[in-house]
Amino acid sequence: MSLTLVVPILMAAPAPAAVQPAQPALPRPAEILAATRRVADWQLANRHRFDHMPAARESVRNPRDWQQATFWVALTELADRDPRYAEPVLALGRGLGWKLGDNPFHADDQLIAQSWIWAARNGGGAGALAPARTYFDEVLANRPRGSLEFVPRRPGSGDSACTDRWCWCDALFMAPPTLLRLAQATGDTRYADFAHEEFRATTDILYDRTEHLYFRDSRFFERRDDKGRKLFWSRGNGWVMGGLVRMLQVLDRKDPHRPYYERLFREMAARLVTLQKADGTWSPSLLDTDPATPTETSGTAFFTYAFAWGVDAGLLDRATYQPAATRGWAALGRAVRPDGMLGWVQQVSDRPDKVAASDTQYYGTGAFLLAGTAMYDLARKSGRQ
């Protein structure tokens, strides 16, 4: 008697389809705007209190310094969507005489001029532009030509003579968008020409064409973390992406310089989207994507801003970048305390560093406002109700 073995045909049943992660839904525009207002209102209510920033530099008390200026620049974006926020900017500018910072060449002292340029067409009048024109005319008349190599003035110092030019990547948020907006407001193309020349000079030195990210400055070219990875600082690259957005916003579609910035923006975005962690954040050190690395909101907010704006402007693929922006926005929302204070903001630094839930700063709030206004526009134009 023979036995016949019945062998099941394993291919008869189709394999189950791979489970795709659900794409996060855009919040409603009203929800986004309400969250953005809440953070802005907390910062305005606490603008004269500094006890919640025990590690902050004394310079944070100066509204013309970059730390506060980031918030005031971002508040102009919120004011464009809610006019109630215009008066704080105008009152500040009038009180300061529309002045820039005191350093004649340092990009950090130039950022506040973006608020005054906005104010000039929103109630401040032509007088709001005058100090910025005087400042930058002096820069052009005495244009710095020194090296972009970051050589500390003394051992261990974070300052260098090269900061008369844009030798650190943060400067690409502070200065070139300011100059392009001043050129647009005045019709004086010298400001734009200077911005384009210096931006390219900085990029030629600091942009890693393999990783498509910026080193903070030349000191970091050879530095590595304990696993041998290059050190690319989240907020440093956030400054660059935010700066690119603010340049592209004012560059004419036919401007011959525009393709250069669009290409750079897309190239960086394509790398950054691969470095976003599952929780929606980016690590302080971008190549360290270990889920255990801490939340950091300033870099996350700038990248969320750039992705949301890029999708809305038609420069980034919606299917790829809208979910990333939405995850970033959700992560930022989880970092806001019930009273409206944004936490998990890495303090003033030049490299990836520790961060805690209680850490906040004006520039973190400013980055949140930029992300919120861009997300609001994206949701509104996407038909969300």
Side-chain angles (χ1 to χ4, degrees), residues 117-145:
I117 294 165
W118 175 89
R121 64 177 187 275
N122 287 278
L129 290 177
R133 298 193 71 167
T134 299
Y135 181 108
F136 284 110
D137 286 349
E138 186 69 15
V139 171
L140 294 179
N142 300 278
R143 181 171 177 174
R145 302 281 185 179

CSV table of all heavy atoms in Angstrom, one decimal, residues 117-145:
chain,number,residue,atom,x,y,z
A,117,ILE,N,11.6,96.6,8.8
A,117,ILE,CA,11.2,96.7,7.4
A,117,ILE,C,9.7,96.4,7.3
A,117,ILE,O,8.9,97.0,6.5
A,117,ILE,CB,12.0,95.7,6.6
A,117,ILE,CG1,13.5,96.2,6.6
A,117,ILE,CG2,11.5,95.6,5.2
A,117,ILE,CD1,14.5,95.2,6.2
A,118,TRP,N,9.3,95.4,8.0
A,118,TRP,CA,7.8,95.0,8.1
A,118,TRP,C,7.0,96.2,8.6
A,118,TRP,O,6.0,96.6,8.0
A,118,TRP,CB,7.6,93.8,8.9
A,118,TRP,CG,6.1,93.4,9.1
A,118,TRP,CD1,5.4,92.6,8.3
A,118,TRP,CD2,5.3,93.9,10.1
A,118,TRP,NE1,4.1,92.5,8.8
A,118,TRP,CE2,4.0,93.3,9.9
A,118,TRP,CE3,5.4,94.8,11.2
A,118,TRP,CZ2,2.9,93.6,10.7
A,118,TRP,CZ3,4.3,95.0,12.0
A,118,TRP,CH2,3.1,94.4,11.8
A,119,ALA,N,7.5,96.8,9.7
A,119,ALA,CA,6.8,98.0,10.3
A,119,ALA,C,6.6,99.1,9.4
A,119,ALA,O,5.6,99.8,9.4
A,119,ALA,CB,7.5,98.4,11.6
A,120,ALA,N,7.6,99.3,8.5
A,120,ALA,CA,7.6,100.5,7.6
A,120,ALA,C,6.3,100.5,6.7
A,120,ALA,O,5.8,101.5,6.3
A,120,ALA,CB,8.8,100.6,6.7
A,121,ARG,N,5.9,99.3,6.3
A,121,ARG,CA,4.7,99.2,5.5
A,121,ARG,C,3.4,98.9,6.3
A,121,ARG,O,2.4,98.6,5.6
A,121,ARG,CB,4.9,98.2,4.3
A,121,ARG,CG,5.1,96.8,4.8
A,121,ARG,CD,5.3,95.9,3.6
A,121,ARG,NE,5.3,94.5,4.0
A,121,ARG,CZ,6.3,93.8,4.4
A,121,ARG,NH1,7.5,94.4,4.4
A,121,ARG,NH2,6.3,92.5,4.7
A,122,ASN,N,3.5,98.8,7.6
A,122,ASN,CA,2.4,98.5,8.4
A,122,ASN,C,2.2,99.4,9.5
A,122,ASN,O,1.8,99.1,10.6
A,122,ASN,CB,2.6,97.0,9.0
A,122,ASN,CG,2.4,96.0,7.9
A,122,ASN,OD1,1.3,95.6,7.6
A,122,ASN,ND2,3.5,95.5,7.4
A,123,GLY,N,2.4,100.7,9.3
A,123,GLY,CA,2.1,101.8,10.2
A,123,GLY,C,3.3,102.5,10.8
A,123,GLY,O,3.2,103.6,11.4
A,124,GLY,N,4.5,102.0,10.5
A,124,GLY,CA,5.7,102.7,11.0
A,124,GLY,C,6.2,103.8,10.1
A,124,GLY,O,7.0,104.7,10.6
A,125,GLY,N,5.9,103.8,8.9
A,125,GLY,CA,6.3,104.8,7.9
A,125,GLY,C,7.7,104.7,7.5
A,125,GLY,O,8.5,103.8,8.0
A,126,ALA,N,8.1,105.5,6.6
A,126,ALA,CA,9.5,105.5,6.0
A,126,ALA,C,10.6,105.6,7.0
A,126,ALA,O,11.7,105.1,6.9
A,126,ALA,CB,9.6,106.5,4.9
A,127,GLY,N,10.3,106.3,8.1
A,127,GLY,CA,11.3,106.5,9.2
A,127,GLY,C,11.7,105.2,9.8
A,127,GLY,O,12.9,105.1,10.3
A,128,ALA,N,10.9,104.2,9.7
A,128,ALA,CA,11.3,102.9,10.3
A,128,ALA,C,12.5,102.2,9.5
A,128,ALA,O,13.2,101.4,10.0
A,128,ALA,CB,10.1,101.9,10.3
A,129,LEU,N,12.7,102.7,8.2
A,129,LEU,CA,13.7,102.1,7.4
A,129,LEU,C,15.0,102.8,7.6
A,129,LEU,O,16.1,102.3,7.2
A,129,LEU,CB,13.3,102.1,5.9
A,129,LEU,CG,12.2,101.2,5.5
A,129,LEU,CD1,11.9,101.5,4.0
A,129,LEU,CD2,12.6,99.8,5.7
A,130,ALA,N,15.0,104.1,8.0
A,130,ALA,CA,16.2,105.0,7.9
A,130,ALA,C,17.4,104.4,8.7
A,130,ALA,O,18.5,104.4,8.1
A,130,ALA,CB,15.8,106.4,8.4
A,131,PRO,N,17.3,103.9,9.9
A,131,PRO,CA,18.5,103.4,10.6
A,131,PRO,C,19.0,102.2,9.9
A,131,PRO,O,20.3,102.0,9.8
A,131,PRO,CB,17.9,103.1,12.0
A,131,PRO,CG,16.8,104.0,12.2
A,131,PRO,CD,16.1,104.0,10.8
A,132,ALA,N,18.2,101.3,9.3
A,132,ALA,CA,18.7,100.1,8.6
A,132,ALA,C,19.5,100.6,7.4
A,132,ALA,O,20.5,100.0,7.1
A,132,ALA,CB,17.6,99.2,8.2
A,133,ARG,N,19.0,101.5,6.6
A,133,ARG,CA,19.7,102.0,5.4
A,133,ARG,C,21.0,102.6,5.8
A,133,ARG,O,22.1,102.3,5.2
A,133,ARG,CB,18.9,103.0,4.7
A,133,ARG,CG,17.5,102.5,4.2
A,133,ARG,CD,16.9,103.4,3.1
A,133,ARG,NE,17.6,103.4,1.9
A,133,ARG,CZ,17.2,104.0,0.8
A,133,ARG,NH1,16.0,104.5,0.7
A,133,ARG,NH2,17.9,103.9,-0.4
A,134,THR,N,21.1,103.4,6.9
A,134,THR,CA,22.3,104.0,7.3
A,134,THR,C,23.3,102.9,7.7
A,134,THR,O,24.5,102.9,7.4
A,134,THR,CB,22.1,104.9,8.5
A,134,THR,OG1,21.2,106.0,8.1
A,134,THR,CG2,23.4,105.5,9.0
A,135,TYR,N,22.8,101.9,8.5
A,135,TYR,CA,23.7,100.8,9.0
A,135,TYR,C,24.3,100.1,7.8
A,135,TYR,O,25.5,99.8,7.7
A,135,TYR,CB,22.8,99.9,9.8
A,135,TYR,CG,23.5,98.7,10.4
A,135,TYR,CD1,23.8,98.7,11.8
A,135,TYR,CD2,23.9,97.6,9.7
A,135,TYR,CE1,24.5,97.6,12.4
A,135,TYR,CE2,24.6,96.5,10.2
A,135,TYR,CZ,24.8,96.5,11.6
A,135,TYR,OH,25.5,95.4,12.1
A,136,PHE,N,23.4,99.6,6.8
A,136,PHE,CA,24.0,98.8,5.8
A,136,PHE,C,24.7,99.6,4.7
A,136,PHE,O,25.6,99.0,4.1
A,136,PHE,CB,22.8,98.0,5.1
A,136,PHE,CG,22.4,96.8,6.0
A,136,PHE,CD1,21.2,96.8,6.6
A,136,PHE,CD2,23.2,95.7,6.2
A,136,PHE,CE1,20.8,95.7,7.4
A,136,PHE,CE2,22.8,94.7,6.9
A,136,PHE,CZ,21.6,94.7,7.6
A,137,ASP,N,24.5,100.9,4.6
A,137,ASP,CA,25.3,101.7,3.7
A,137,ASP,C,26.7,101.8,4.2
A,137,ASP,O,27.7,101.7,3.5
A,137,ASP,CB,24.7,103.1,3.6
A,137,ASP,CG,23.5,103.1,2.7
A,137,ASP,OD1,23.2,102.1,2.0
A,137,ASP,OD2,22.8,104.2,2.7
A,138,GLU,N,26.8,101.8,5.6
A,138,GLU,CA,28.1,101.8,6.2
A,138,GLU,C,28.8,100.4,6.0
A,138,GLU,O,30.1,100.4,5.8
A,138,GLU,CB,28.0,102.1,7.7
A,138,GLU,CG,29.3,102.2,8.5
A,138,GLU,CD,30.0,103.5,8.1
A,138,GLU,OE1,29.4,104.4,7.5
A,138,GLU,OE2,31.3,103.6,8.4
A,139,VAL,N,28.1,99.4,6.1
A,139,VAL,CA,28.7,98.0,5.8
A,139,VAL,C,29.2,98.0,4.4
A,139,VAL,O,30.3,97.5,4.1
A,139,VAL,CB,27.6,96.9,6.0
A,139,VAL,CG1,28.2,95.6,5.5
A,139,VAL,CG2,27.2,96.8,7.5
A,140,LEU,N,28.4,98.4,3.4
A,140,LEU,CA,28.8,98.4,2.0
A,140,LEU,C,30.0,99.3,1.8
A,140,LEU,O,30.9,98.9,0.9
A,140,LEU,CB,27.7,98.8,1.1
A,140,LEU,CG,26.5,97.8,1.1
A,140,LEU,CD1,25.4,98.3,0.2
A,140,LEU,CD2,26.9,96.4,0.7
A,141,ALA,N,30.1,100.4,2.4
A,141,ALA,CA,31.2,101.3,2.2
A,141,ALA,C,32.5,100.8,2.9
A,141,ALA,O,33.6,101.2,2.5
A,141,ALA,CB,30.9,102.7,2.8
A,142,ASN,N,32.4,99.9,3.8
A,142,ASN,CA,33.5,99.4,4.5
A,142,ASN,C,33.5,97.8,4.6
A,142,ASN,O,33.7,97.2,5.6
A,142,ASN,CB,33.6,99.9,6.0
A,142,ASN,CG,33.7,101.4,6.0
A,142,ASN,OD1,34.8,102.0,5.8
A,142,ASN,ND2,32.6,102.1,6.2
A,143,ARG,N,33.2,97.3,3.4
A,143,ARG,CA,32.9,95.8,3.3
A,143,ARG,C,34.0,95.0,3.9
A,143,ARG,O,35.2,95.1,3.5
A,143,ARG,CB,32.6,95.5,1.9
A,143,ARG,CG,32.3,94.0,1.7
A,143,ARG,CD,31.8,93.7,0.3
A,143,ARG,NE,31.6,92.3,0.1
A,143,ARG,CZ,31.0,91.8,-1.0
A,143,ARG,NH1,30.7,92.7,-2.0
A,143,ARG,NH2,30.8,90.5,-1.2
A,144,PRO,N,33.7,94.1,4.9
A,144,PRO,CA,34.8,93.2,5.4
A,144,PRO,C,35.2,92.2,4.4
A,144,PRO,O,34.4,91.7,3.6
A,144,PRO,CB,34.1,92.5,6.6
A,144,PRO,CG,32.9,93.4,6.9
A,144,PRO,CD,32.5,94.0,5.6
A,145,ARG,N,36.5,92.0,4.3
A,145,ARG,CA,37.1,91.1,3.3
A,145,ARG,C,37.9,90.0,4.0
A,145,ARG,O,38.6,89.2,3.3
A,145,ARG,CB,38.0,91.8,2.4
A,145,ARG,CG,37.3,93.0,1.6
A,145,ARG,CD,36.5,92.4,0.5
A,145,ARG,NE,35.9,93.5,-0.3
A,145,ARG,CZ,35.1,93.4,-1.4
A,145,ARG,NH1,34.9,92.1,-1.8
A,145,ARG,NH2,34.6,94.4,-2.0
